[in-house]
Amino acid sequence: MYISPAHRGRGLGRALLDRLEAEAARLGATRLVLETGARQREAAALYEGAGFEQSPLFGEYRKSPLTSACYGKVNQE
């Protein structure tokens, strides 16, 4: 997910993340796992603030431990 600098600080990222969680619940997903760049501090703060916890790298990201960070959350919806 990317929010252009001109539109940051308006809660759009959190709104998108909330919608993603709701849609995942509607589809029956019980766990959400996502990836962001290891240096994307704003993204990490957003995910952690939404209850995601850092988790092991998955899929192709396992090959990128210096540039990727993964986060997971059990879906409560």
Side-chain angles (χ1 to χ4, degrees), residues 1-3 11-25 32-36 42-53 71-73 75-77:
M1 149 174 50
Y2 176 80
I3 306 294
L12 297 173
R14 183 58 188 251
L16 286 170
L17 192 56
D18 289 346
R19 181 67 180 112
L20 172 68
E21 289 187 61
E23 182 65 9
L32 303 175
V33 183
L34 50 85
E35 184 274 346
T36 190
E42 296 88 351
L46 171 67
Y47 302 147
E48 290 172 4
F52 284 78
E53 296 179 348
Y71 291 83
K73 180 179 180 181
N75 200 355
Q76 301 292 325
E77 292 278 324

PDB file of all heavy atoms in Angstrom, residues 1-3 11-25 32-36 42-53 71-73 75-77:
ATOM      1  N   MET A   1       0.858  -1.160   0.000  1.00  0.00           N
ATOM      2  CA  MET A   1       0.000   0.000   0.000  1.00  0.00           C
ATOM      3  C   MET A   1       0.901   1.217   0.000  1.00  0.00           C
ATOM      4  O   MET A   1       1.965   1.221   0.619  1.00  0.00           O
ATOM      5  CB  MET A   1      -0.902  -0.077   1.237  1.00  0.00           C
ATOM      6  CG  MET A   1      -1.321   1.222   1.821  1.00  0.00           C
ATOM      7  SD  MET A   1      -2.513   1.116   3.164  1.00  0.00           S
ATOM      8  CE  MET A   1      -1.870  -0.059   4.284  1.00  0.00           C
ATOM      9  N   TYR A   2       0.497   2.241  -0.705  1.00  0.00           N
ATOM     10  CA  TYR A   2       1.278   3.472  -0.770  1.00  0.00           C
ATOM     11  C   TYR A   2       0.325   4.658  -0.731  1.00  0.00           C
ATOM     12  O   TYR A   2      -0.675   4.689  -1.458  1.00  0.00           O
ATOM     13  CB  TYR A   2       2.107   3.522  -2.057  1.00  0.00           C
ATOM     14  CG  TYR A   2       2.858   4.817  -2.223  1.00  0.00           C
ATOM     15  CD1 TYR A   2       4.056   5.025  -1.550  1.00  0.00           C
ATOM     16  CD2 TYR A   2       2.372   5.829  -3.034  1.00  0.00           C
ATOM     17  CE1 TYR A   2       4.755   6.210  -1.683  1.00  0.00           C
ATOM     18  CE2 TYR A   2       3.064   7.027  -3.175  1.00  0.00           C
ATOM     19  CZ  TYR A   2       4.253   7.213  -2.500  1.00  0.00           C
ATOM     20  OH  TYR A   2       4.944   8.386  -2.635  1.00  0.00           O
ATOM     21  N   ILE A   3       0.621   5.610   0.120  1.00  0.00           N
ATOM     22  CA  ILE A   3      -0.138   6.857   0.204  1.00  0.00           C
ATOM     23  C   ILE A   3       0.820   7.972  -0.205  1.00  0.00           C
ATOM     24  O   ILE A   3       1.889   8.114   0.392  1.00  0.00           O
ATOM     25  CB  ILE A   3      -0.671   7.116   1.630  1.00  0.00           C
ATOM     26  CG1 ILE A   3      -1.490   5.929   2.152  1.00  0.00           C
ATOM     27  CG2 ILE A   3      -1.461   8.417   1.684  1.00  0.00           C
ATOM     28  CD1 ILE A   3      -2.770   5.664   1.415  1.00  0.00           C
ATOM     29  N   GLY A  11      -5.401   9.563   7.753  1.00  0.00           N
ATOM     30  CA  GLY A  11      -6.018   8.304   8.174  1.00  0.00           C
ATOM     31  C   GLY A  11      -6.354   7.367   7.030  1.00  0.00           C
ATOM     32  O   GLY A  11      -7.045   6.369   7.234  1.00  0.00           O
ATOM     33  N   LEU A  12      -5.880   7.665   5.825  1.00  0.00           N
ATOM     34  CA  LEU A  12      -6.211   6.829   4.676  1.00  0.00           C
ATOM     35  C   LEU A  12      -5.587   5.441   4.785  1.00  0.00           C
ATOM     36  O   LEU A  12      -6.237   4.443   4.469  1.00  0.00           O
ATOM     37  CB  LEU A  12      -5.756   7.506   3.379  1.00  0.00           C
ATOM     38  CG  LEU A  12      -6.428   8.837   3.053  1.00  0.00           C
ATOM     39  CD1 LEU A  12      -5.778   9.479   1.843  1.00  0.00           C
ATOM     40  CD2 LEU A  12      -7.912   8.624   2.824  1.00  0.00           C
ATOM     41  N   GLY A  13      -4.336   5.374   5.229  1.00  0.00           N
ATOM     42  CA  GLY A  13      -3.682   4.072   5.383  1.00  0.00           C
ATOM     43  C   GLY A  13      -4.419   3.198   6.376  1.00  0.00           C
ATOM     44  O   GLY A  13      -4.653   2.010   6.129  1.00  0.00           O
ATOM     45  N   ARG A  14      -4.812   3.778   7.484  1.00  0.00           N
ATOM     46  CA  ARG A  14      -5.550   3.014   8.502  1.00  0.00           C
ATOM     47  C   ARG A  14      -6.910   2.584   7.974  1.00  0.00           C
ATOM     48  O   ARG A  14      -7.355   1.454   8.204  1.00  0.00           O
ATOM     49  CB  ARG A  14      -5.691   3.853   9.778  1.00  0.00           C
ATOM     50  CG  ARG A  14      -6.375   3.128  10.918  1.00  0.00           C
ATOM     51  CD  ARG A  14      -5.603   1.842  11.274  1.00  0.00           C
ATOM     52  NE  ARG A  14      -6.297   1.019  12.217  1.00  0.00           N
ATOM     53  CZ  ARG A  14      -5.921   0.861  13.472  1.00  0.00           C
ATOM     54  NH1 ARG A  14      -4.853   1.453  13.932  1.00  0.00           N
ATOM     55  NH2 ARG A  14      -6.604   0.083  14.267  1.00  0.00           N
ATOM     56  N   ALA A  15      -7.567   3.460   7.218  1.00  0.00           N
ATOM     57  CA  ALA A  15      -8.868   3.104   6.640  1.00  0.00           C
ATOM     58  C   ALA A  15      -8.721   1.937   5.656  1.00  0.00           C
ATOM     59  O   ALA A  15      -9.544   1.013   5.658  1.00  0.00           O
ATOM     60  CB  ALA A  15      -9.493   4.310   5.953  1.00  0.00           C
ATOM     61  N   LEU A  16      -7.682   1.963   4.835  1.00  0.00           N
ATOM     62  CA  LEU A  16      -7.440   0.860   3.902  1.00  0.00           C
ATOM     63  C   LEU A  16      -7.141  -0.435   4.644  1.00  0.00           C
ATOM     64  O   LEU A  16      -7.645  -1.505   4.283  1.00  0.00           O
ATOM     65  CB  LEU A  16      -6.285   1.203   2.962  1.00  0.00           C
ATOM     66  CG  LEU A  16      -6.586   2.214   1.878  1.00  0.00           C
ATOM     67  CD1 LEU A  16      -5.291   2.638   1.180  1.00  0.00           C
ATOM     68  CD2 LEU A  16      -7.559   1.639   0.870  1.00  0.00           C
ATOM     69  N   LEU A  17      -6.329  -0.335   5.673  1.00  0.00           N
ATOM     70  CA  LEU A  17      -5.986  -1.512   6.462  1.00  0.00           C
ATOM     71  C   LEU A  17      -7.225  -2.085   7.154  1.00  0.00           C
ATOM     72  O   LEU A  17      -7.438  -3.302   7.163  1.00  0.00           O
ATOM     73  CB  LEU A  17      -4.904  -1.153   7.486  1.00  0.00           C
ATOM     74  CG  LEU A  17      -4.216  -2.294   8.198  1.00  0.00           C
ATOM     75  CD1 LEU A  17      -3.592  -3.284   7.221  1.00  0.00           C
ATOM     76  CD2 LEU A  17      -3.156  -1.741   9.133  1.00  0.00           C
ATOM     77  N   ASP A  18      -8.072  -1.225   7.703  1.00  0.00           N
ATOM     78  CA  ASP A  18      -9.315  -1.682   8.334  1.00  0.00           C
ATOM     79  C   ASP A  18     -10.214  -2.385   7.319  1.00  0.00           C
ATOM     80  O   ASP A  18     -10.816  -3.423   7.617  1.00  0.00           O
ATOM     81  CB  ASP A  18     -10.065  -0.505   8.959  1.00  0.00           C
ATOM     82  CG  ASP A  18      -9.396   0.047  10.193  1.00  0.00           C
ATOM     83  OD1 ASP A  18      -8.489  -0.609  10.752  1.00  0.00           O
ATOM     84  OD2 ASP A  18      -9.779   1.170  10.617  1.00  0.00           O
ATOM     85  N   ARG A  19     -10.284  -1.836   6.111  1.00  0.00           N
ATOM     86  CA  ARG A  19     -11.116  -2.437   5.063  1.00  0.00           C
ATOM     87  C   ARG A  19     -10.545  -3.788   4.639  1.00  0.00           C
ATOM     88  O   ARG A  19     -11.283  -4.743   4.412  1.00  0.00           O
ATOM     89  CB  ARG A  19     -11.211  -1.486   3.870  1.00  0.00           C
ATOM     90  CG  ARG A  19     -12.057  -1.990   2.748  1.00  0.00           C
ATOM     91  CD  ARG A  19     -13.533  -2.076   3.179  1.00  0.00           C
ATOM     92  NE  ARG A  19     -14.330  -2.557   2.083  1.00  0.00           N
ATOM     93  CZ  ARG A  19     -14.938  -3.744   2.063  1.00  0.00           C
ATOM     94  NH1 ARG A  19     -14.866  -4.543   3.103  1.00  0.00           N
ATOM     95  NH2 ARG A  19     -15.633  -4.119   1.034  1.00  0.00           N
ATOM     96  N   LEU A  20      -9.228  -3.874   4.557  1.00  0.00           N
ATOM     97  CA  LEU A  20      -8.579  -5.133   4.227  1.00  0.00           C
ATOM     98  C   LEU A  20      -8.913  -6.202   5.263  1.00  0.00           C
ATOM     99  O   LEU A  20      -9.258  -7.336   4.920  1.00  0.00           O
ATOM    100  CB  LEU A  20      -7.067  -4.941   4.146  1.00  0.00           C
ATOM    101  CG  LEU A  20      -6.233  -6.206   4.003  1.00  0.00           C
ATOM    102  CD1 LEU A  20      -6.471  -6.858   2.647  1.00  0.00           C
ATOM    103  CD2 LEU A  20      -4.768  -5.890   4.183  1.00  0.00           C
ATOM    104  N   GLU A  21      -8.843  -5.827   6.531  1.00  0.00           N
ATOM    105  CA  GLU A  21      -9.161  -6.778   7.596  1.00  0.00           C
ATOM    106  C   GLU A  21     -10.620  -7.232   7.524  1.00  0.00           C
ATOM    107  O   GLU A  21     -10.913  -8.414   7.702  1.00  0.00           O
ATOM    108  CB  GLU A  21      -8.863  -6.168   8.954  1.00  0.00           C
ATOM    109  CG  GLU A  21      -7.382  -6.013   9.220  1.00  0.00           C
ATOM    110  CD  GLU A  21      -7.091  -5.566  10.635  1.00  0.00           C
ATOM    111  OE1 GLU A  21      -7.450  -6.310  11.572  1.00  0.00           O
ATOM    112  OE2 GLU A  21      -6.515  -4.483  10.795  1.00  0.00           O
ATOM    113  N   ALA A  22     -11.518  -6.308   7.263  1.00  0.00           N
ATOM    114  CA  ALA A  22     -12.940  -6.653   7.164  1.00  0.00           C
ATOM    115  C   ALA A  22     -13.191  -7.581   5.978  1.00  0.00           C
ATOM    116  O   ALA A  22     -13.946  -8.564   6.092  1.00  0.00           O
ATOM    117  CB  ALA A  22     -13.779  -5.382   7.047  1.00  0.00           C
ATOM    118  N   GLU A  23     -12.569  -7.302   4.855  1.00  0.00           N
ATOM    119  CA  GLU A  23     -12.741  -8.152   3.675  1.00  0.00           C
ATOM    120  C   GLU A  23     -12.138  -9.530   3.906  1.00  0.00           C
ATOM    121  O   GLU A  23     -12.712 -10.540   3.511  1.00  0.00           O
ATOM    122  CB  GLU A  23     -12.117  -7.489   2.445  1.00  0.00           C
ATOM    123  CG  GLU A  23     -12.291  -8.256   1.169  1.00  0.00           C
ATOM    124  CD  GLU A  23     -13.734  -8.394   0.688  1.00  0.00           C
ATOM    125  OE1 GLU A  23     -14.640  -7.755   1.248  1.00  0.00           O
ATOM    126  OE2 GLU A  23     -13.954  -9.172  -0.263  1.00  0.00           O
ATOM    127  N   ALA A  24     -10.996  -9.587   4.552  1.00  0.00           N
ATOM    128  CA  ALA A  24     -10.379 -10.875   4.867  1.00  0.00           C
ATOM    129  C   ALA A  24     -11.297 -11.705   5.759  1.00  0.00           C
ATOM    130  O   ALA A  24     -11.466 -12.906   5.551  1.00  0.00           O
ATOM    131  CB  ALA A  24      -9.028 -10.655   5.537  1.00  0.00           C
ATOM    132  N   ALA A  25     -11.921 -11.059   6.738  1.00  0.00           N
ATOM    133  CA  ALA A  25     -12.854 -11.766   7.620  1.00  0.00           C
ATOM    134  C   ALA A  25     -14.060 -12.261   6.831  1.00  0.00           C
ATOM    135  O   ALA A  25     -14.510 -13.392   7.015  1.00  0.00           O
ATOM    136  CB  ALA A  25     -13.297 -10.842   8.752  1.00  0.00           C
ATOM    137  N   LEU A  32      -3.830 -12.680   8.933  1.00  0.00           N
ATOM    138  CA  LEU A  32      -3.334 -11.782   7.899  1.00  0.00           C
ATOM    139  C   LEU A  32      -1.831 -11.650   8.041  1.00  0.00           C
ATOM    140  O   LEU A  32      -1.326 -11.509   9.158  1.00  0.00           O
ATOM    141  CB  LEU A  32      -3.971 -10.396   8.044  1.00  0.00           C
ATOM    142  CG  LEU A  32      -5.490 -10.351   7.998  1.00  0.00           C
ATOM    143  CD1 LEU A  32      -5.972  -8.940   8.287  1.00  0.00           C
ATOM    144  CD2 LEU A  32      -5.989 -10.806   6.648  1.00  0.00           C
ATOM    145  N   VAL A  33      -1.120 -11.710   6.931  1.00  0.00           N
ATOM    146  CA  VAL A  33       0.329 -11.538   6.924  1.00  0.00           C
ATOM    147  C   VAL A  33       0.658 -10.586   5.786  1.00  0.00           C
ATOM    148  O   VAL A  33       0.155 -10.740   4.674  1.00  0.00           O
ATOM    149  CB  VAL A  33       1.060 -12.881   6.724  1.00  0.00           C
ATOM    150  CG1 VAL A  33       2.567 -12.687   6.792  1.00  0.00           C
ATOM    151  CG2 VAL A  33       0.619 -13.900   7.768  1.00  0.00           C
ATOM    152  N   LEU A  34       1.479  -9.597   6.077  1.00  0.00           N
ATOM    153  CA  LEU A  34       1.849  -8.632   5.055  1.00  0.00           C
ATOM    154  C   LEU A  34       3.326  -8.313   5.125  1.00  0.00           C
ATOM    155  O   LEU A  34       4.007  -8.668   6.085  1.00  0.00           O
ATOM    156  CB  LEU A  34       1.003  -7.364   5.186  1.00  0.00           C
ATOM    157  CG  LEU A  34       0.886  -6.713   6.568  1.00  0.00           C
ATOM    158  CD1 LEU A  34       2.052  -5.798   6.809  1.00  0.00           C
ATOM    159  CD2 LEU A  34      -0.409  -5.958   6.642  1.00  0.00           C
ATOM    160  N   GLU A  35       3.816  -7.651   4.088  1.00  0.00           N
ATOM    161  CA  GLU A  35       5.230  -7.309   3.986  1.00  0.00           C
ATOM    162  C   GLU A  35       5.372  -5.829   3.721  1.00  0.00           C
ATOM    163  O   GLU A  35       4.530  -5.215   3.069  1.00  0.00           O
ATOM    164  CB  GLU A  35       5.866  -8.099   2.831  1.00  0.00           C
ATOM    165  CG  GLU A  35       7.355  -7.915   2.656  1.00  0.00           C
ATOM    166  CD  GLU A  35       7.752  -6.710   1.796  1.00  0.00           C
ATOM    167  OE1 GLU A  35       6.893  -6.141   1.104  1.00  0.00           O
ATOM    168  OE2 GLU A  35       8.936  -6.332   1.828  1.00  0.00           O
ATOM    169  N   THR A  36       6.438  -5.262   4.232  1.00  0.00           N
ATOM    170  CA  THR A  36       6.797  -3.880   3.932  1.00  0.00           C
ATOM    171  C   THR A  36       8.320  -3.796   3.876  1.00  0.00           C
ATOM    172  O   THR A  36       9.010  -4.744   4.246  1.00  0.00           O
ATOM    173  CB  THR A  36       6.229  -2.897   4.978  1.00  0.00           C
ATOM    174  OG1 THR A  36       6.417  -1.560   4.499  1.00  0.00           O
ATOM    175  CG2 THR A  36       6.873  -3.067   6.338  1.00  0.00           C
ATOM    176  N   GLU A  42       7.201   4.359   8.908  1.00  0.00           N
ATOM    177  CA  GLU A  42       5.803   4.788   9.009  1.00  0.00           C
ATOM    178  C   GLU A  42       4.858   3.604   8.815  1.00  0.00           C
ATOM    179  O   GLU A  42       3.860   3.470   9.516  1.00  0.00           O
ATOM    180  CB  GLU A  42       5.484   5.890   7.986  1.00  0.00           C
ATOM    181  CG  GLU A  42       6.255   7.165   8.218  1.00  0.00           C
ATOM    182  CD  GLU A  42       7.611   7.192   7.522  1.00  0.00           C
ATOM    183  OE1 GLU A  42       8.055   6.144   6.980  1.00  0.00           O
ATOM    184  OE2 GLU A  42       8.242   8.255   7.522  1.00  0.00           O
ATOM    185  N   ALA A  43       5.186   2.740   7.855  1.00  0.00           N
ATOM    186  CA  ALA A  43       4.354   1.561   7.621  1.00  0.00           C
ATOM    187  C   ALA A  43       4.393   0.638   8.827  1.00  0.00           C
ATOM    188  O   ALA A  43       3.350   0.131   9.271  1.00  0.00           O
ATOM    189  CB  ALA A  43       4.813   0.822   6.367  1.00  0.00           C
ATOM    190  N   ALA A  44       5.587   0.415   9.369  1.00  0.00           N
ATOM    191  CA  ALA A  44       5.713  -0.451  10.549  1.00  0.00           C
ATOM    192  C   ALA A  44       4.886   0.103  11.703  1.00  0.00           C
ATOM    193  O   ALA A  44       4.193  -0.651  12.398  1.00  0.00           O
ATOM    194  CB  ALA A  44       7.177  -0.590  10.946  1.00  0.00           C
ATOM    195  N   ALA A  45       4.927   1.407  11.903  1.00  0.00           N
ATOM    196  CA  ALA A  45       4.149   2.019  12.986  1.00  0.00           C
ATOM    197  C   ALA A  45       2.651   1.849  12.746  1.00  0.00           C
ATOM    198  O   ALA A  45       1.891   1.572  13.688  1.00  0.00           O
ATOM    199  CB  ALA A  45       4.503   3.492  13.119  1.00  0.00           C
ATOM    200  N   LEU A  46       2.214   1.996  11.506  1.00  0.00           N
ATOM    201  CA  LEU A  46       0.798   1.802  11.173  1.00  0.00           C
ATOM    202  C   LEU A  46       0.376   0.377  11.484  1.00  0.00           C
ATOM    203  O   LEU A  46      -0.641   0.149  12.149  1.00  0.00           O
ATOM    204  CB  LEU A  46       0.561   2.111   9.690  1.00  0.00           C
ATOM    205  CG  LEU A  46      -0.817   1.751   9.148  1.00  0.00           C
ATOM    206  CD1 LEU A  46      -1.896   2.636   9.778  1.00  0.00           C
ATOM    207  CD2 LEU A  46      -0.840   1.879   7.632  1.00  0.00           C
ATOM    208  N   TYR A  47       1.149  -0.595  11.028  1.00  0.00           N
ATOM    209  CA  TYR A  47       0.794  -1.995  11.236  1.00  0.00           C
ATOM    210  C   TYR A  47       0.816  -2.366  12.716  1.00  0.00           C
ATOM    211  O   TYR A  47      -0.107  -3.023  13.210  1.00  0.00           O
ATOM    212  CB  TYR A  47       1.721  -2.905  10.438  1.00  0.00           C
ATOM    213  CG  TYR A  47       1.702  -2.615   8.950  1.00  0.00           C
ATOM    214  CD1 TYR A  47       2.829  -2.768   8.173  1.00  0.00           C
ATOM    215  CD2 TYR A  47       0.545  -2.151   8.319  1.00  0.00           C
ATOM    216  CE1 TYR A  47       2.811  -2.490   6.813  1.00  0.00           C
ATOM    217  CE2 TYR A  47       0.527  -1.865   6.966  1.00  0.00           C
ATOM    218  CZ  TYR A  47       1.660  -2.038   6.215  1.00  0.00           C
ATOM    219  OH  TYR A  47       1.643  -1.757   4.877  1.00  0.00           O
ATOM    220  N   GLU A  48       1.839  -1.927  13.417  1.00  0.00           N
ATOM    221  CA  GLU A  48       1.915  -2.235  14.845  1.00  0.00           C
ATOM    222  C   GLU A  48       0.781  -1.562  15.611  1.00  0.00           C
ATOM    223  O   GLU A  48       0.210  -2.144  16.534  1.00  0.00           O
ATOM    224  CB  GLU A  48       3.278  -1.837  15.389  1.00  0.00           C
ATOM    225  CG  GLU A  48       4.381  -2.747  14.868  1.00  0.00           C
ATOM    226  CD  GLU A  48       5.784  -2.284  15.212  1.00  0.00           C
ATOM    227  OE1 GLU A  48       5.944  -1.278  15.929  1.00  0.00           O
ATOM    228  OE2 GLU A  48       6.743  -2.933  14.748  1.00  0.00           O
ATOM    229  N   GLY A  49       0.430  -0.348  15.223  1.00  0.00           N
ATOM    230  CA  GLY A  49      -0.682   0.351  15.857  1.00  0.00           C
ATOM    231  C   GLY A  49      -2.023  -0.327  15.618  1.00  0.00           C
ATOM    232  O   GLY A  49      -2.958  -0.159  16.389  1.00  0.00           O
ATOM    233  N   ALA A  50      -2.093  -1.103  14.538  1.00  0.00           N
ATOM    234  CA  ALA A  50      -3.318  -1.839  14.210  1.00  0.00           C
ATOM    235  C   ALA A  50      -3.305  -3.249  14.793  1.00  0.00           C
ATOM    236  O   ALA A  50      -4.195  -4.050  14.511  1.00  0.00           O
ATOM    237  CB  ALA A  50      -3.494  -1.895  12.694  1.00  0.00           C
ATOM    238  N   GLY A  51      -2.292  -3.557  15.599  1.00  0.00           N
ATOM    239  CA  GLY A  51      -2.246  -4.853  16.259  1.00  0.00           C
ATOM    240  C   GLY A  51      -1.438  -5.919  15.556  1.00  0.00           C
ATOM    241  O   GLY A  51      -1.417  -7.069  15.995  1.00  0.00           O
ATOM    242  N   PHE A  52      -0.779  -5.579  14.467  1.00  0.00           N
ATOM    243  CA  PHE A  52       0.092  -6.541  13.796  1.00  0.00           C
ATOM    244  C   PHE A  52       1.391  -6.653  14.568  1.00  0.00           C
ATOM    245  O   PHE A  52       1.855  -5.688  15.163  1.00  0.00           O
ATOM    246  CB  PHE A  52       0.390  -6.086  12.357  1.00  0.00           C
ATOM    247  CG  PHE A  52      -0.739  -6.293  11.393  1.00  0.00           C
ATOM    248  CD1 PHE A  52      -1.814  -5.426  11.371  1.00  0.00           C
ATOM    249  CD2 PHE A  52      -0.734  -7.351  10.508  1.00  0.00           C
ATOM    250  CE1 PHE A  52      -2.865  -5.593  10.485  1.00  0.00           C
ATOM    251  CE2 PHE A  52      -1.770  -7.537   9.618  1.00  0.00           C
ATOM    252  CZ  PHE A  52      -2.846  -6.657   9.606  1.00  0.00           C
ATOM    253  N   GLU A  53       1.976  -7.844  14.538  1.00  0.00           N
ATOM    254  CA  GLU A  53       3.256  -8.081  15.193  1.00  0.00           C
ATOM    255  C   GLU A  53       4.249  -8.573  14.154  1.00  0.00           C
ATOM    256  O   GLU A  53       3.876  -9.297  13.222  1.00  0.00           O
ATOM    257  CB  GLU A  53       3.103  -9.140  16.298  1.00  0.00           C
ATOM    258  CG  GLU A  53       2.195  -8.683  17.408  1.00  0.00           C
ATOM    259  CD  GLU A  53       2.031  -9.735  18.479  1.00  0.00           C
ATOM    260  OE1 GLU A  53       2.422 -10.904  18.272  1.00  0.00           O
ATOM    261  OE2 GLU A  53       1.513  -9.387  19.554  1.00  0.00           O
ATOM    262  N   TYR A  71       4.697  -8.756   8.893  1.00  0.00           N
ATOM    263  CA  TYR A  71       3.855  -8.563  10.072  1.00  0.00           C
ATOM    264  C   TYR A  71       2.642  -9.474   9.941  1.00  0.00           C
ATOM    265  O   TYR A  71       2.118  -9.683   8.853  1.00  0.00           O
ATOM    266  CB  TYR A  71       3.391  -7.104  10.165  1.00  0.00           C
ATOM    267  CG  TYR A  71       4.520  -6.170  10.494  1.00  0.00           C
ATOM    268  CD1 TYR A  71       5.375  -5.682   9.523  1.00  0.00           C
ATOM    269  CD2 TYR A  71       4.751  -5.791  11.807  1.00  0.00           C
ATOM    270  CE1 TYR A  71       6.430  -4.858   9.832  1.00  0.00           C
ATOM    271  CE2 TYR A  71       5.813  -4.949  12.135  1.00  0.00           C
ATOM    272  CZ  TYR A  71       6.640  -4.488  11.137  1.00  0.00           C
ATOM    273  OH  TYR A  71       7.684  -3.662  11.451  1.00  0.00           O
ATOM    274  N   GLY A  72       2.186  -9.998  11.058  1.00  0.00           N
ATOM    275  CA  GLY A  72       1.029 -10.869  11.060  1.00  0.00           C
ATOM    276  C   GLY A  72       0.049 -10.498  12.162  1.00  0.00           C
ATOM    277  O   GLY A  72       0.403  -9.848  13.131  1.00  0.00           O
ATOM    278  N   LYS A  73      -1.186 -10.931  11.961  1.00  0.00           N
ATOM    279  CA  LYS A  73      -2.247 -10.663  12.933  1.00  0.00           C
ATOM    280  C   LYS A  73      -3.335 -11.707  12.764  1.00  0.00           C
ATOM    281  O   LYS A  73      -3.728 -12.015  11.636  1.00  0.00           O
ATOM    282  CB  LYS A  73      -2.826  -9.261  12.690  1.00  0.00           C
ATOM    283  CG  LYS A  73      -3.935  -8.872  13.643  1.00  0.00           C
ATOM    284  CD  LYS A  73      -4.427  -7.469  13.326  1.00  0.00           C
ATOM    285  CE  LYS A  73      -5.533  -7.050  14.256  1.00  0.00           C
ATOM    286  NZ  LYS A  73      -6.017  -5.698  13.930  1.00  0.00           N
ATOM    287  N   ASN A  75      -7.010 -12.553  12.619  1.00  0.00           N
ATOM    288  CA  ASN A  75      -8.169 -11.731  12.276  1.00  0.00           C
ATOM    289  C   ASN A  75      -9.267 -11.927  13.317  1.00  0.00           C
ATOM    290  O   ASN A  75      -9.728 -13.045  13.528  1.00  0.00           O
ATOM    291  CB  ASN A  75      -8.668 -12.090  10.875  1.00  0.00           C
ATOM    292  CG  ASN A  75      -9.522 -11.011  10.270  1.00  0.00           C
ATOM    293  OD1 ASN A  75      -9.835 -10.025  10.910  1.00  0.00           O
ATOM    294  ND2 ASN A  75      -9.906 -11.198   9.032  1.00  0.00           N
ATOM    295  N   GLN A  76      -9.688 -10.850  13.943  1.00  0.00           N
ATOM    296  CA  GLN A  76     -10.699 -10.888  15.005  1.00  0.00           C
ATOM    297  C   GLN A  76     -12.088 -10.519  14.518  1.00  0.00           C
ATOM    298  O   GLN A  76     -13.019 -10.524  15.291  1.00  0.00           O
ATOM    299  CB  GLN A  76     -10.298  -9.927  16.133  1.00  0.00           C
ATOM    300  CG  GLN A  76      -8.951 -10.224  16.758  1.00  0.00           C
ATOM    301  CD  GLN A  76      -8.943 -11.515  17.542  1.00  0.00           C
ATOM    302  OE1 GLN A  76      -9.917 -11.893  18.176  1.00  0.00           O
ATOM    303  NE2 GLN A  76      -7.820 -12.207  17.516  1.00  0.00           N
ATOM    304  N   GLU A  77     -12.216 -10.142  13.269  1.00  0.00           N
ATOM    305  CA  GLU A  77     -13.526  -9.682  12.744  1.00  0.00           C
ATOM    306  C   GLU A  77     -14.556 -10.784  12.835  1.00  0.00           C
ATOM    307  O   GLU A  77     -14.296 -11.921  12.682  1.00  0.00           O
ATOM    308  CB  GLU A  77     -13.380  -9.228  11.288  1.00  0.00           C
ATOM    309  CG  GLU A  77     -12.567  -7.976  11.145  1.00  0.00           C
ATOM    310  CD  GLU A  77     -13.332  -6.706  11.404  1.00  0.00           C
ATOM    311  OE1 GLU A  77     -14.520  -6.624  11.061  1.00  0.00           O
ATOM    312  OE2 GLU A  77     -12.739  -5.788  11.960  1.00  0.00           O
TER     313      GLU A  77
END
